[in-house]
Amino acid sequence: MSSGENGRKSILVIGGGIAGIQASLDLANMGFKVYLVEKSPSIGGRMAQLDKTFPTNDCAMCILAPKMIEANSHPNIELLTYSEVEKVSGEKGKFKVRVKKKASFVDWEKCTGCGLCVEGCPVIIGNEFDQEIGKRKAIYMYFPQAVPKKCVIDKREERLCKAACIDACPVHTNVPGYIKLIAEGQYQEAYKLIRETNPLPAVVGRVCYAPCEDVCNRGEIDEPLCVRDLKRVPSDQWNIEQLELPAITKTDKRVAVIGSGPAGLAAANDLALKGHDVTIFEALPEPGGMLRVGIPEYRLPNDILRQEIGYIQKLGVDIKTGVRVGKDVTLDKLRKDYDAVFVGVGAHGGMRLGVEGEDIPGVMEGIAFLRAASLGEKVSMGKRVAVIGGGNTAIDCACTARRLGAEEVTIVYRRTRSEMPADAAEVEAAEKEGIELEFLTAPSRFLAKNKQLAGMECVRMELGEPDASGRPRPVPVKGSEFTMPVDTVIAALGQVPETDFLKDLGVSLSRRGTIEIDPATGATSVEGVFAGGDAVSGPAYVIDAIAGGKKAARSINQYLTGQPVEAEAPWKEPEEFTQEEKADRKKRFPAASRVKMREEPAKKRVQDFREVALGYSGEEGREEASRCLAGQIEGCIECRECERRCEPRAIVYTMKDKTIDLNVGAIIVASGLGLYDISSLTEYGYGRIKNVITAMEFERLTAASGPTMGELRRASDGRIPENIAFIQCVGSRDLRNKAYCSSVCCMHATKEAMLAFEHHPGTRSTIFYMDMRAVGKRFQEYIARAKKDYNVTYIRARPGRIEVNPENDNPIIWYEETTTGEVKSFEAEMVVLAQAMVPQIDEVLAKALGIELDEEGFVKTPDKLLQPLDTTRPGIFACGYVHSPRDIPDSVTQASGAAGRAAEEMSSSRSGRDSQGGK
Amino acid sequence: MAGFEPQIIAFCCNWCTYAAADLAGTSRMQYPANVRIVRVMCSGMVNPLYVLKAFEGGVDGVLIAGCHLTDCHYIDGPTKCDAMVDKLREMLHVLGLEDERLRREMVAASEGVLFARVIKEMVEQLKKIGPSPFKARTEALA
Amino acid sequence: MNLEDIIKDTNTYYCLECGKCTSVCPVARYDKCFSPRMIIENALLGFEDELVLDRELFSCLTCYMCQSECPSDVDFPVFVREARSLAQGKGQHGICAHSGQLQSLARLMTSPNLKQKRLEWLSQEHRVSEKSDVLFWVGCAPYFEPIFEDIGFSALGITKASLKILNSLGIEPKLLPNERCCGHDALWTGDVDTFKKLAEYNAAQIKEAGVKKIVFACPEGYRTFKLDYPDYVDLDCEVQHISELLAEKIAENSHLSGKLMEIKKKVTYQDPCRLGRHLGVYDAPRKILEAIPGIELVEMKHSGLEAICCGTSAFTNCDSYSNALRAERLSEAVETGAELLITACPKCQTHFRCAQVDKGEEHRPTPKIEVIDLINLVADAIGEGGKSSKKK
């Protein structure tokens, strides 16, 4: 029976508050098709914000929610939330209405309202529903009982950078997201966000090679962010032991992970989170792989590593140390006992120099040396040490040797400084510690004396043509031999995986001994066996190993759950700024250099294995984090965390505002009330004095779903106030602000005083009023009850000034007791201002509707007695606060009245014939 | 200016100048009758408003006369008076009033002769310079 | 004007009797008998005699604190002013400070053929010009000079500094040799007759002088010319406070800003009621202070719109309440830790200096802080300060 098409039986209701809902329900029940337009994401309006309603002190939401749900499910009502009316043309009986549906960036057809996206969002903004006392995320649900129960992204402007960091990161960590959280001091949230993609944030924050920093868009205008250093801030500033465990739904699948290095841990972590039963087999006595035995403690303290591995264990991962697969247990057995196997054994094998005398005691292999030192085994360290090699391992060996007591340490490298694969900063740091560098030199023979190393014969090199690696090939210079008097040599030439045990099973290996896998999925040539990390790639970086582990884990999960094992969609390449963008950003952001991290001074640090990098202080961290360009905008920064989390894939960043054209016969305006901006009333110190709040803020503080979960607490110290003052007519009955009486404040102040008492019996409330306007059924009795039972005192005065007691932040109210004429001061613990209320309709909407407003901005009524609900445009009616100041019951009554008028208009045969007459 | 008879208000100290005026009278000394004497308890109690009010009232000259510096019944009245007159004179000067219109004298109880001479001199001087510039205002008000 | 007209003219009928006025009134905090609300209520009840014969009518500082917050826009200060004129008619004049000589001076200045010698202090260092179209209003300064000498206040010091500053801006102003009292105090004590005459004399002289603009160093003269003269005389002329002029020049980045030398001092600023709440000039003096290198401005607990009056207005009713109020204000200034209390009104300065001459009670000594005019500070900053206190 509804026919919205020709508009004859359709009605538009503007405003989804209680009046709008009531009018819609009435009309829908009469058989009309109703479009209910609401500009916020949910219907409910102001009443939804209230804790209780007077004079019954009923829970506002309990009364409202059933009506909201009824409106949502009524077949004749079409909700158009997050929408605004732009234009109304035509005339009564055949209005054409243009409605703008604002882009929510969430496909509401798909959104289930689960809220997973909200948890991950790093952007924290004031929550308008909580009067900005509480915070919400950039993706949010308007309030917990929102109808429709859908999420919205608050996207206000385009992100200022390309977030190339995310693209460059092997695990695509949400860098702008966690940096934003650090900038806001939300360390726990930041840690959790990093952990989404990286199970070892504190570890990686110390040892990552940070490819993100190379592509950071800020680097194009001054210096890139210190992304790696920032990554450890959350764990430095917050005790990660407090990280809570997620709820995990267990499966009955078992996975064996071989090796507890970064790849194995990452795979184990991800699989455990998916509910699989994971066991790690570790050959060494302690877990961590290269993180434990390859990276010296002064770069990565064991405690940190232990903490992060500890959490993975808490997720249910069993780590069996001291079990070498292939020796203590066969791979074949693992394959039989477990549903899948991940191999992440790393590259722990050293390479030989192939030089005469290599087996003389005193000549050591680098990786074995580091392992022994890390595990606290006895290492015989001489006084004069040569380290051979130019990679990071060589530097680590040299610095470790220094810490073990070597007096002279020299790094011997066959090319020059510019060809060294080691990080330049690491080389510099080593030099600071007194380590010498000998370039263009290679050992040719080791010399023994008494079966102990006594010297190393070297040969000078010169650089020749580039070799396969693109670096110039070192060529020995004939006759340049010389002898270095050393008693210890550490050869750090490189590592190879030890993968012989895989051969039995027929896993295919490369010539170099690395495992051959499908690069997209991590699957080896044997079904159910996956691999990743250095064992696949040869020696590489920690984050690459983690990426390998994660990739394999994803495939293993697919394999175990019977899904086809498929590669992840390829990630886009990091982007640079265009010339225009670069110029623009340079103009907008004054150059700010990176905040340098403090370090232990070289003299002190070589004494033991204390950590060299000292981390940022919270303040330094926030300062560095606030350099991030992505975080400079309000609202959504498009880090896409929500998109990653949303299971129904409802996030649509490209969504645009949509225009909807409606044909309706009548319109009801019920846009409700706004709160008057009282910042001009400086005497009450609102916004300046912490414990002076507005009545609506008070409602949110006492509401169970509010920012404090219904705890009425002071902003200054979180204490529960026992002595509250209410000041009435703040902006109302004031010729300079709003001359009219807002009509409900006397009653809501009394209600709030009662609520305060009910929250904390004994609370004393003092209401400074002008005239007590208890105009309504049982209202006067309500006031009497407040005095009698709720410890409420009424003082007739309009205070002129609020000052602050600096000792306890208590507001001090100055007033004239008008019954005696005395000037007095009154110290309260909290002051609640009865902020004036204004009709929520502006010139733009009024103009779009073609209706007139009166001098106070309320909808103008042509005749208060004969047509009290009409507006100046025939066919458009008004009800609720936008019509005139009134309380909830009055608004509801009036809404039914307006619905009746609209229905009358629609069904009058005259108007129907008139409008169709031309056809 | 012919026939101009200046009006003078004289604030006279009860303890000396007023007695001097009395002495001049009982001794039948002749002096012009242009003066109205206001008896005050001390020259130190004459405040600027007394003088200004007199001018507001249209007088042509004001005399403040009291004890000699060391004779004061209240120890330092004449000093106070001198200080007040100094300041007042400066103000009246700015206002454009001739210096002769405000006269400060010290006349002991026995100096009836001096009192008569002061009045005589003052009347002569005032006759020469003519009526007070404020007189026109007073007349307009009346 | 009768009481009913006054009530109508000042919005008094709209009074809600809420007492906001009394609660912010600086006088009512000390003088328990004084309540603006009660005064208004009496008026509304038609108790004219009770209203005008009550000496409390003269206790009001007309500081505009009440009016600035009145929800009904009742112009209480103007109400008081007009009620005082009724009181004058019934012989109630209030108690005048300084024995009433200042009020008397104003009355004397209504004499038609006055030949003042008010510019004798003018010396060669000051450049003035007969032909200028800018007039500098000297005001009461030559009269204040002898009166307030003993409290170390030199009103002419401000005048001279003003001329130096104007000169350095390239302005050679005209001075009137026979300007009369502006009539501010007469008007605010209810002596409308005197005020009217003074206004007429001044207006005639200004018309004859043919100037386009009048610059004031005194907020009271400024207020009177800007807001009150138009009701009585025709004054076709722009008026400006020197702080506004200076702030304008500083904003225009005139050569003045370059001339300002460093003065390393922590200062606080007293908003004069006339300049602040009466005329809304809060920013200009602060902009000037900001422009002087080395000056650190610290605000008092009450500043700007909430600034507390110096305690006396129109040299009437200076009593123990006024003194208590002043002591309170001075202690607010001292609490800021400032070395100097800057004001832009010569009268504020007289009152604050005067209060400090009084040592106060033993257990509660009067707070001490040096008080100077903004103009003297600026003159010091451009090296033209000389000595702000009087020679001798």
Side-chain angles (χ1 to χ4, degrees):
Chain A
M1 68 160 291
S2 66
S3 65
E5 295 319 305
N6 58 23
R8 290 200 45 218
K9 288 287 182 189
S10 303
I11 293 175
L12 169 70
V13 176
I14 302 170
I18 183 63
I21 292 173
Q22 183 64 42
S24 301
L25 287 173
D26 282 4
L27 288 165
N29 287 337
M30 288 179 213
F32 294 103
K33 163 89 180 175
V34 179
Y35 298 101
L36 177 52
V37 172
E38 164 61 46
K39 72 175 179 180
S40 58
S42 166
I43 57 170
R46 290 287 170 194
M47 187 175 173
Q49 287 183 278
L50 302 181
D51 179 19
K52 300 282 191 295
T53 55
F54 63 80
T56 49
N57 284 7
D58 284 321
C59 159
M61 190 51 85
C62 307
I63 304 171
L64 180 62
K67 291 216 172 209
M68 288 161 65
I69 290 160
E70 195 184 343
N72 190 32
S73 55
H74 201 294
N76 285 348
I77 298 178
E78 188 173 333
L79 290 189
L80 293 166
T81 56
Y82 216 41
S83 300
E84 281 170 30
V85 170
E86 284 198 319
K87 209 175 114 193
V88 175
S89 54
E91 58 185 80
K92 70 170 179 176
K94 43 181 183 181
F95 287 117
K96 278 194 179 309
V97 182
R98 174 154 291 185
V99 174
K100 180 175 85 179
K101 180 131 184 64
K102 292 179 278 186
S104 62
F105 304 101
V106 176
D107 183 346
W108 282 4
E109 297 288 317
K110 292 182 183 163
C111 176
T112 60
C114 70
L116 272 181
C117 50
V118 178
E119 275 172 38
C121 178
V123 180
I124 299 163
I125 326 180
N127 185 345
E128 46 284 75
F129 187 77
D130 284 338
Q131 298 302 116
E132 313 264 334
I133 313 173
K135 302 279 184 197
R136 64 162 170 83
K137 301 295 187 68
I139 185 163
Y140 66 108
M141 195 176 294
Y142 194 46
F143 54 94
Q145 304 88 343
V147 170
K149 201 174 170 60
K150 305 289 174 193
C151 287
V152 173
I153 295 180
D154 181 355
K155 184 174 157 190
R156 304 181 194 178
E157 46 186 320
E158 293 301 318
R159 192 182 53 217
L160 295 171
C161 76
K162 309 271 189 184
C165 44
I166 304 181
D167 306 323
C169 177
V171 297
H172 308 300
T173 294
N174 187 347
V175 178
Y178 79 76
I179 289 184
K180 176 97 185 168
L181 288 166
I182 293 171
E184 309 238 353
Q186 301 278 330
Y187 303 119
Q188 180 178 357
E189 294 301 315
Y191 186 83
K192 279 159 82 174
L193 185 57
I194 303 171
R195 216 184 173 286
E196 285 294 314
T197 50
N198 175 353
L200 307 166
V203 169
V204 174
R206 286 171 167 81
V207 301
C208 195
Y209 72 111
C212 46
E213 294 184 17
D214 298 338
V215 298
C216 172
N217 296 115
R218 174 111 206 184
E220 297 177 55
I221 66 168
D222 45 30
E223 288 184 296
L225 269 283
C226 295
V227 183
R228 179 197 36 228
D229 293 349
L230 282 170
K231 188 173 268 123
R232 59 178 282 192
V233 170
S235 57
D236 287 347
Q237 298 297 327
W238 174 71
N239 180 10
I240 58 177
E241 299 278 347
Q242 290 169 7
L243 186 64
E244 70 271 27
L245 286 171
I248 299 173
T249 319
K250 284 279 183 194
T251 64
D252 55 355
K253 304 289 183 192
R254 302 179 71 209
V255 183
V257 172
I258 307 171
S260 67
L265 288 170
N269 176 73
D270 288 13
L271 290 165
L273 285 171
K274 291 282 181 204
H276 307 304
D277 192 7
V278 184
T279 308
I280 300 183
F281 296 89
E282 170 58 52
L284 292 170
E286 284 183 47
M290 274 299 182
L291 299 173
R292 177 68 187 82
V293 299
I295 298 173
E297 174 146 26
Y298 62 86
R299 283 179 59 201
L300 173 58
N302 282 340
D303 286 347
I304 301 289
L305 179 63
R306 212 169 288 136
Q307 271 182 335
E308 294 200 316
I309 294 177
Y311 185 77
I312 295 172
Q313 286 172 306
K314 277 193 240 168
L315 291 175
V317 173
D318 184 18
I319 304 182
K320 294 188 189 304
T321 52
V323 181
R324 184 172 289 272
V325 178
K327 194 176 121 206
D328 301 322
V329 58
T330 63
L331 181 62
D332 198 39
K333 181 166 165 43
L334 290 185
R335 263 209 78 199
K336 282 189 187 118
D337 291 353
Y338 293 86
D339 299 297
V341 178
F342 173 76
V343 186
V345 293
H348 289 253
M351 278 162 74
R352 291 177 64 83
L353 273 163
V355 170
E356 188 190 330
E358 203 171 338
D359 297 320
I360 299 173
V363 181
M364 289 182 266
E365 189 280 313
I367 206 73
F369 162 69
L370 287 177
R371 179 163 59 228
S374 293
L375 293 173
E377 290 167 16
K378 199 166 155 38
V379 185
S380 62
M381 180 53 57
K383 298 281 174 222
R384 312 171 89 175
V385 180
V387 177
I388 298 159
N392 282 324
T393 308
I395 307 287
D396 287 346
C397 288
C399 293
T400 302
R402 185 92 172 85
R403 282 166 175 75
L404 288 175
E407 280 162 13
E408 271 175 40
V409 182
T410 310
I411 293 175
V412 176
Y413 181 51
R414 53 190 184 147
R415 293 189 179 91
T416 69
R417 183 186 290 263
S418 50
E419 284 84 28
M420 278 179 92
D423 205 34
E426 298 284 325
V427 179
E428 246 173 68
E431 284 184 291
K432 268 195 204 147
E433 293 179 11
I435 286 156
E436 305 282 327
L437 294 164
E438 194 70 49
F439 295 113
L440 292 169
T441 306
S444 51
R445 194 154 61 103
F446 297 106
L447 310 166
K449 196 175 174 184
N450 299 334
K451 291 188 175 173
Q452 272 294 322
L453 184 69
M456 173 169 78
E457 189 187 275
C458 298
V459 62
R460 289 287 181 201
M461 313 293 269
E462 60 185 8
L463 295 179
E465 290 300 303
D467 64 5
S469 72
R471 296 176 297 176
R473 184 191 300 274
V475 184
V477 180
K478 275 208 179 107
S480 65
E481 285 83 357
F482 66 102
T483 303
M484 282 175 76
V486 293
D487 48 23
T488 308
V489 166
I490 303 165
L493 300 174
Q495 299 97 264
V496 289
E498 295 165 323
T499 46
D500 284 349
F501 72 99
L502 292 165
K503 283 182 183 157
D504 305 342
L505 213 66
V507 176
S508 92
L509 302 175
S510 75
R511 203 167 42 82
R512 292 185 296 146
T514 56
I515 305 167
E516 290 192 323
I517 56 163
D518 175 351
T521 62
T524 64
S525 56
V526 176
E527 199 202 316
V529 179
F530 297 78
D534 284 1
V536 168
S537 59
Y541 297 100
V542 173
I543 195 67
D544 294 311
I546 291 176
K550 289 181 77 75
K551 181 170 62 187
R554 185 172 178 277
S555 305
I556 292 171
N557 183 53
Q558 287 168 337
Y559 171 75
L560 292 178
T561 51
Q563 303 166 53
V565 177
E566 278 173 358
E568 211 172 358
W571 209 271
K572 74 180 184 18
E573 289 300 309
E575 282 177 77
E576 283 182 10
F577 279 139
T578 62
Q579 284 307 318
E580 297 81 62
E581 281 169 335
K582 205 176 350 183
D584 169 72
R585 305 302 187 265
K586 272 194 172 164
K587 209 163 60 192
R588 286 166 67 178
F589 300 101
S593 357
R594 324 172 91 184
V595 178
K596 294 266 181 304
M597 192 184 269
R598 285 166 297 118
E599 276 188 356
E600 194 75 24
K603 266 205 176 135
K604 272 188 161 175
R605 69 196 189 208
V606 295
Q607 293 166 4
D608 49 34
F609 281 83
R610 70 181 71 175
E611 190 173 15
V612 171
L614 297 175
Y616 284 131
S617 68
E619 204 173 305
E620 289 166 336
R622 285 198 297 277
E623 188 190 336
E624 176 62 18
S626 49
R627 289 178 62 233
C628 177
L629 290 181
Q632 308 291 333
I633 53 169
E634 288 281 304
C636 172
I637 61 171
E638 261 186 84
C639 69
R640 301 191 169 235
E641 189 63 30
C642 48
E643 194 178 36
R644 292 189 204 194
R645 287 170 183 248
C646 179
E647 282 168 4
R649 309 209 155 272
I651 310 292
V652 187
Y653 280 109
T654 50
M655 194 182 275
K656 295 257 180 332
D657 291 351
K658 211 164 67 186
T659 304
I660 301 168
D661 287 313
L662 303 174
N663 294 306
V664 297
I667 298 172
I668 293 175
V669 185
S671 49
L673 64 98
L675 298 167
Y676 179 64
D677 177 7
I678 53 170
S679 56
S680 67
L681 288 120
T682 50
E683 59 267 33
Y684 293 146
Y686 176 68
R688 180 167 49 85
I689 304 174
K690 279 185 195 148
N691 296 324
V692 174
I693 62 171
T694 65
M696 193 51 106
E697 289 168 6
F698 184 97
E699 294 284 348
R700 294 313 299 152
L701 286 177
T702 49
S705 65
T708 54
M709 304 298 198
E711 294 255 29
L712 177 59
R713 289 184 183 279
R714 312 206 301 171
S716 70
D717 51 12
R719 240 168 16 86
I720 293 166
E722 288 164 1
N723 165 16
I724 305 175
F726 293 82
I727 296 180
Q728 300 306 101
C729 299
V730 179
S732 314
R733 303 183 70 197
D734 184 335
L735 294 183
R736 292 154 187 221
N737 294 289
K738 293 292 162 193
Y740 56 84
C741 166
S742 288
S743 163
V744 292
C745 321
C746 288
M747 295 305 292
H748 76 57
T750 300
K751 174 195 76 184
E752 283 159 8
M754 286 182 173
L755 289 182
F757 187 93
E758 276 176 0
H759 274 65
H760 304 286
T763 302
R764 191 154 51 91
S765 293
T766 309
I767 300 182
F768 292 89
Y769 71 104
M770 294 281 314
D771 303 282
M772 192 41 66
R773 298 197 164 172
V775 190
K777 198 173 178 180
R778 300 222 170 268
F779 284 11
Q780 192 56 44
E781 292 88 328
Y782 191 68
I783 306 271
R785 197 146 57 92
K787 288 187 202 170
K788 187 165 154 277
D789 300 335
Y790 290 91
N791 212 359
V792 182
T793 310
Y794 293 86
I795 294 180
R796 195 197 168 277
R798 169 127 60 169
R801 182 85 77 239
I802 298 181
E803 288 170 359
V804 194
N805 181 347
E807 278 166 27
N808 49 17
D809 284 323
N810 281 355
I812 299 172
I813 299 167
W814 285 90
Y815 68 101
E816 180 188 11
E817 170 90 74
T818 54
T819 46
T820 64
E822 239 180 303
V823 179
K824 288 181 174 174
S825 65
F826 179 89
E827 183 167 333
E829 290 171 59
M830 178 186 259
V831 170
V832 183
L833 304 178
Q835 184 179 18
M837 296 169 192
V838 292
Q840 184 140 300
I841 183 166
D842 54 11
E843 288 297 329
V844 181
L845 179 56
K847 212 173 152 208
L849 291 168
I851 59 173
E852 288 175 40
L853 304 179
D854 65 18
E855 62 276 17
E856 298 286 8
F858 290 98
V859 172
K860 196 166 176 178
T861 309
D863 188 316
K864 286 188 185 85
L865 286 178
L866 299 177
Q867 297 162 287
L869 302 173
D870 287 23
T871 67
T872 51
R873 186 172 183 182
I876 302 185
F877 309 93
C879 60
Y881 211 99
V882 74
H883 175 282
S884 49
R886 58 191 52 250
D887 61 19
I888 292 169
D890 280 3
S891 292
V892 174
T893 312
Q894 214 182 25
S896 288
R901 278 290 291 131
E904 178 193 352
E905 199 67 56
M906 298 285 285
S907 51
S908 84
S909 53
R910 193 161 34 87
S911 80
R913 251 204 310 275
D914 284 352
S915 60
Q916 296 297 305
K919 287 197 176 171
Chain B
M1 212 62 71
F4 165 61
E5 286 298 334
Q7 285 177 301
I8 298 170
I9 294 279
F11 294 101
C12 296
C13 164
N14 173 61
W15 305 101
C16 48
T17 313
Y18 193 79
D22 217 18
L23 179 64
T26 50
S27 313
R28 312 268 167 123
M29 290 173 201
Q30 288 297 314
Y31 65 88
N34 303 45
V35 64
R36 302 288 180 275
I37 293 177
V38 177
R39 179 159 68 164
V40 293
M41 287 308 285
C42 176
S43 58
M45 70 154 288
V46 177
N47 86 28
L49 186 66
Y50 293 9
V51 180
L52 293 169
K53 269 276 193 187
F55 284 118
E56 273 190 61
V59 300
D60 301 294
V62 173
L63 168 68
I64 307 168
C67 301
H68 287 276
L69 279 176
T70 50
D71 295 353
C72 181
H73 202 80
Y74 309 101
I75 302 168
D76 59 354
T79 323
K80 282 183 181 154
C81 182
D82 280 351
M84 187 280 289
V85 169
D86 275 355
K87 278 191 179 186
L88 189 58
R89 226 182 256 294
E90 269 190 67
M91 256 165 64
L92 291 173
H93 174 76
V94 177
L95 203 52
L97 203 73
E98 299 86 344
D99 284 353
E100 293 88 336
R101 294 194 195 275
L102 175 61
R103 190 163 173 149
R104 164 80 173 110
E105 287 294 341
M106 290 175 192
V107 182
S110 58
E111 294 174 316
V113 183
L114 178 59
F115 182 78
R117 197 175 72 221
V118 166
I119 301 296
K120 243 186 262 168
E121 270 177 32
M122 205 173 163
V123 170
E124 273 164 30
Q125 280 171 340
L126 291 176
K127 275 189 173 168
K128 241 178 260 167
I129 58 173
S132 150
F134 305 126
K135 211 158 201 151
R137 172 187 173 275
T138 321
E139 278 158 12
L141 282 174
Chain C
M1 219 183 322
N2 61 30
L3 184 58
E4 200 169 325
D5 289 338
I6 298 172
I7 288 173
K8 266 187 203 151
D9 278 10
T10 53
N11 262 357
T12 303
Y13 274 130
Y14 293 115
C15 174
L16 295 166
E17 294 168 21
C18 65
K20 208 173 173 188
C21 44
T22 313
S23 70
V24 296
C25 174
V27 179
R29 291 241 176 141
Y30 297 95
D31 180 352
K32 297 289 170 209
C33 301
F34 184 75
S35 160
R37 181 186 59 89
M38 291 299 288
I39 290 175
I40 291 284
E41 270 191 60
N42 274 335
L44 288 173
L45 292 169
F47 298 155
E48 184 171 338
D49 280 355
E50 283 83 342
L51 171 75
V52 301
L53 296 179
D54 185 357
R55 265 177 23 193
E56 292 289 1
L57 183 61
F58 285 87
S59 295
C60 174
L61 296 169
T62 62
C63 73
Y64 264 83
M65 189 82 98
C66 50
Q67 198 272 349
S68 73
E69 291 190 4
C70 176
S72 298
D73 234 349
V74 176
D75 198 341
F76 185 73
V78 168
F79 173 87
V80 161
R81 193 177 81 187
E82 299 305 320
R84 283 176 183 173
S85 79
L86 290 183
Q88 291 272 2
K90 297 198 175 183
Q92 175 63 268
H93 307 292
I95 296 172
C96 298
H98 298 280
S99 71
Q101 53 181 320
L102 293 148
Q103 282 80 359
S104 179
L105 272 174
R107 288 193 293 272
L108 285 170
M109 270 190 254
T110 59
S111 299
N113 39 14
L114 208 56
K115 288 189 188 66
Q116 295 178 74
K117 293 172 183 153
R118 52 175 16 259
L119 298 180
E120 281 182 348
W121 50 271
L122 203 57
S123 75
Q124 303 252 303
E125 334 167 18
H126 311 111
R127 295 195 307 277
V128 294
S129 159
E130 267 303 302
K131 293 187 199 96
S132 179
D133 56 3
V134 177
L135 179 77
F136 179 76
W137 190 256
V138 175
C140 328
Y143 294 101
F144 280 7
E145 198 67 8
I147 302 177
F148 297 114
E149 189 179 58
D150 52 356
I151 56 166
F153 169 59
S154 168
L156 279 177
I158 301 174
T159 315
K160 289 173 191 167
S162 302
L163 288 181
K164 293 268 176 70
I165 292 167
L166 290 175
N167 288 166
S168 80
L169 289 168
I171 301 170
E172 296 183 4
K174 186 176 181 138
L175 304 183
L176 285 182
N178 215 6
E179 76 180 40
R180 310 290 169 105
C181 167
C182 69
H184 172 275
D185 290 0
L187 181 66
W188 289 93
T189 45
D191 186 357
V192 182
D193 289 341
T194 299
F195 173 74
K196 215 172 135 195
K197 277 190 203 120
L198 293 169
E200 280 161 4
Y201 282 127
N202 282 329
Q205 289 188 66
I206 286 160
K207 200 165 227 173
E208 201 188 311
V211 291
K212 291 202 182 103
K213 177 151 110 179
I214 314 175
V215 177
F216 295 83
C218 165
E220 298 198 336
Y222 178 36
R223 140 125 216 162
T224 308
F225 271 70
K226 189 162 186 175
L227 301 181
D228 302 320
Y229 273 24
D231 291 344
Y232 293 88
V233 293
D234 182 25
L235 195 74
D236 185 23
C237 193
E238 190 198 337
V239 290
Q240 200 177 30
H241 189 258
I242 190 162
S243 66
E244 292 176 292
L245 177 78
L246 271 172
E248 237 173 54
K249 294 288 176 188
I250 287 169
E252 282 168 15
N253 213 3
S254 78
H255 62 288
L256 176 78
S257 29
K259 274 192 184 172
L260 295 167
M261 293 181 293
E262 187 177 56
I263 300 180
K264 267 198 107 54
K265 280 210 163 104
K266 200 167 165 185
V267 303
T268 187
Y269 174 71
Q270 160 78 8
D271 288 277
C273 308
R274 263 60 189 167
L275 201 56
R277 278 181 296 270
H278 284 233
L279 293 159
V281 180
Y282 299 107
D283 293 343
R286 290 178 168 82
K287 287 262 151 52
I288 297 169
L289 288 171
E290 244 169 58
I292 302 174
I295 288 285
E296 183 199 345
L297 173 67
V298 274
E299 295 287 359
M300 285 183 265
K301 186 174 161 198
H302 299 95
S303 68
L305 192 65
E306 294 180 6
I308 294 174
C309 174
C310 64
T312 306
S313 121
F315 287 115
T316 312
N317 252 37
C318 184
D319 52 21
S320 57
Y321 302 128
S322 319
N323 252 336
L325 184 54
R326 258 194 290 277
E328 174 69 31
R329 188 58 170 164
L330 281 170
S331 64
E332 279 191 14
V334 171
E335 273 164 26
T336 61
E339 302 159 61
L340 280 181
L341 170 57
I342 308 288
T343 174
C345 174
K347 284 201 187 167
C348 290
Q349 196 182 152
T350 62
H351 300 142
F352 284 136
R353 280 183 186 259
C354 187
Q356 294 185 65
V357 170
D358 180 358
K359 290 189 175 58
E361 296 155 53
E362 200 177 328
H363 64 283
R364 210 174 48 193
T366 311
K368 293 269 187 277
I369 183 166
E370 194 186 339
V371 192
I372 69 161
D373 198 279
L374 177 66
I375 296 308
N376 290 127
L377 187 77
V378 175
D380 283 346
I382 60 169
E384 294 280 7
K387 197 82 190 90
S388 43
S389 56
K390 218 191 153 191
K391 74 268 153 181
K392 265 193 183 172

